[in-house]
């Protein structure tokens, strides 16, 4: 097989200026934070999620984050795990340089409660979102392009009730290594950010027990959850998103799991 040359470019995020990045799961949390950072470095983003109103709000926030053309932020309503929907959603996009998949959710519970149906929510949806993004975009990604996925520190630091969630996250890291090897001849890179506890709407609703996400109760739950960590707080969503930008921008990183957990897995 003839192999294309290894592309060389600056590994700094400003190298993403003018690039097109698909954010599957970009209407909230870490994906939205990536959109804000990418807008600030002059990239074009295609934000994909299921809820149309949340997508519109996210697009407005990303446009407002930094000057740039309105069509530098596009939205697509699709379930990231639905290959047909994703192919339709991305069909008009001529060039895609990088893809970040943050679509996924967290459901926890003891073995006796977590049945196959729950597995479809917590394992299948996450795995198929990543795999589908790879299948749908692979032929359009250039040499030096990348796929970046999200996993979490439950893999290394499980808690009672997290077994199925950890299995889904582990599947993402295994997929990362497998696809990195498979796509390396095309010079497409595949990486994962393994995040520790991060202050996002997902975490707030999980810890805040369904209260208003911006309420004092939710703020207090976030602060309390961070106190036991080495750095004394949870991550901000942009701190995790910045790691994804690094993985996109550095053309010599593939098959890597970049841990951004504030030392939470140290012991
Ligand atoms: N927050 C943490 O502490 C933490 C730690 C480790 C790992 N993670 C993982 O990191 C990822 C992002 O977390 P987050 O906290 O940023 O979550 P979040 O705030 O809930 O955002 C999730 C985003 O994904 C979208 N989404 C979910 N399922 C989707 C699907 N099937 N198709 C398309 N879009 C979908 C959501 O929009 P719609 O619902 O409208 O589709 C939303 O935009 C998740 O996979 C999470 O498990 C989070």
């Amino acid at each position: 097989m003839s192999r294309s040359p290894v592309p060389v470019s600056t590994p700094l995020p400003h190298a993403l200026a003018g690039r097109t990045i698909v954010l599957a799961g970009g209407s909230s949390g870490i994906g939205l934070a990536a959109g804000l950072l990418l807008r600030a470095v002059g990239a074009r983003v295609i934000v994909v999620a299921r809820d149309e109103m949340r997508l519109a709000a996210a697009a407005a926030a990303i446009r407002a984050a930094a000057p740039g053309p309105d069509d530098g932020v596009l939205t697509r309503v699709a379930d990231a795990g639905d290959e047909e929907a994703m192919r339709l959603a991305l069909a008009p996009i001529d060039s895609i340089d990088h893809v970040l998949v943050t679509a996924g959710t967290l459901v926890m519970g003891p073995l006796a409660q977590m049945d196959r149906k729950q597995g479809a929510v917590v394992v299948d949806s996450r795995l198929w979102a990543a795999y589908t993004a790879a299948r749908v975009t692979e032929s359009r990604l250039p040499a030096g392009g990348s796929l970046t996925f999200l996993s979490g520190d439950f893999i290394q630091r499980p808690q009672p009730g997290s077994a199925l969630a950890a299995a889904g996250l582990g599947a993402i890291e295994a997929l990362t290594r497998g696809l990195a090897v498979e796509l390396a001849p095309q010079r497409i890179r595949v990486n994962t950010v393994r995040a520790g506890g991060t202050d996002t709407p997902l975490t707030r609703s999980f810890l805040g027990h369904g209260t208003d996400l911006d309420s004092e109760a939710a703020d207090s739950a976030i602060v309390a959850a961070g106190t036991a960590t080495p750095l004394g707080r949870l991550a901000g969503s942009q701190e995790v998103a910045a790691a994804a930008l690094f993985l996109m921008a550095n053309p010599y990183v593939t098959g890597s799991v970049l841990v951004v957990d504030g030392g939470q897995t140290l012991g």
Side-chain angles (χ1 to χ4, degrees):
M1 183 193 298
S2 79
R3 299 189 171 200
S4 51
V6 182
V8 178
S9 70
T10 165
L12 298 175
H14 63 65
L16 297 170
R19 303 290 181 198
T20 298
I21 290 103
V22 172
L23 301 172
S27 67
S28 174
I30 296 162
L32 173 56
L36 299 171
L37 293 175
L38 286 163
R39 175 75 165 184
V41 298
R44 180 170 80 132
V45 294
I46 321 291
V47 187
V48 181
R50 296 165 300 178
D51 184 293
E52 196 166 2
M53 279 178 63
R54 212 149 60 131
L55 262 179
I62 295 169
R63 285 192 187 103
D70 275 2
D71 66 0
V73 184
L74 302 178
T75 58
R76 295 286 184 270
V77 178
D79 183 325
D82 179 336
E83 184 164 327
E84 203 182 324
M86 284 296 281
R87 284 199 188 281
L88 263 176
L90 298 180
I93 313 295
D94 44 1
S95 81
I96 296 171
D97 296 290
H98 304 280
V99 181
L100 172 63
V101 184
T102 54
T105 194
L106 177 63
V107 182
M108 281 179 55
L111 184 63
Q113 269 172 32
M114 296 296 281
D115 59 12
R116 180 68 188 81
K117 207 169 152 196
Q118 298 284 7
V121 177
V122 76
V123 180
D124 296 14
S125 63
R126 179 186 305 284
L127 178 60
W128 293 117
Y131 192 71
T132 300
R135 273 179 55 81
V136 169
T137 60
E138 176 219 347
S139 61
R140 273 176 280 181
L141 289 172
S146 71
L147 295 150
T148 304
F149 307 138
L150 250 293
S151 75
D153 68 354
F154 277 153
I155 292 177
Q156 274 212 288
R157 214 174 44 118
Q159 295 169 16
S162 73
L164 209 46
L169 298 166
I172 290 294
E173 294 194 6
L175 184 71
T176 300
R177 288 188 286 272
L179 288 179
V181 169
E182 186 170 331
L183 299 180
Q186 292 151 255
R187 309 309 186 202
I188 295 170
R189 301 170 299 107
V190 188
N191 296 292
T192 281
V193 178
R194 187 195 292 166
T198 306
D199 182 1
T200 69
L202 175 71
T203 307
R204 281 177 173 257
S205 77
F206 190 74
L207 294 176
H209 304 291
T211 52
D212 174 3
L213 296 187
D214 295 321
S215 67
E216 277 184 31
D219 287 347
S220 304
I222 289 288
V223 170
T227 49
T229 68
L231 295 181
R233 63 177 176 84
L234 299 187
S237 55
Q238 292 205 2
E239 290 170 321
V240 178
L245 266 70
F246 163 78
L247 293 170
M248 291 174 201
N250 192 318
Y252 205 61
V253 183
T254 195
S256 289
V257 174
L258 179 51
V259 179
V260 183
D261 72 349
Q264 289 169 47
T265 43
L266 288 177

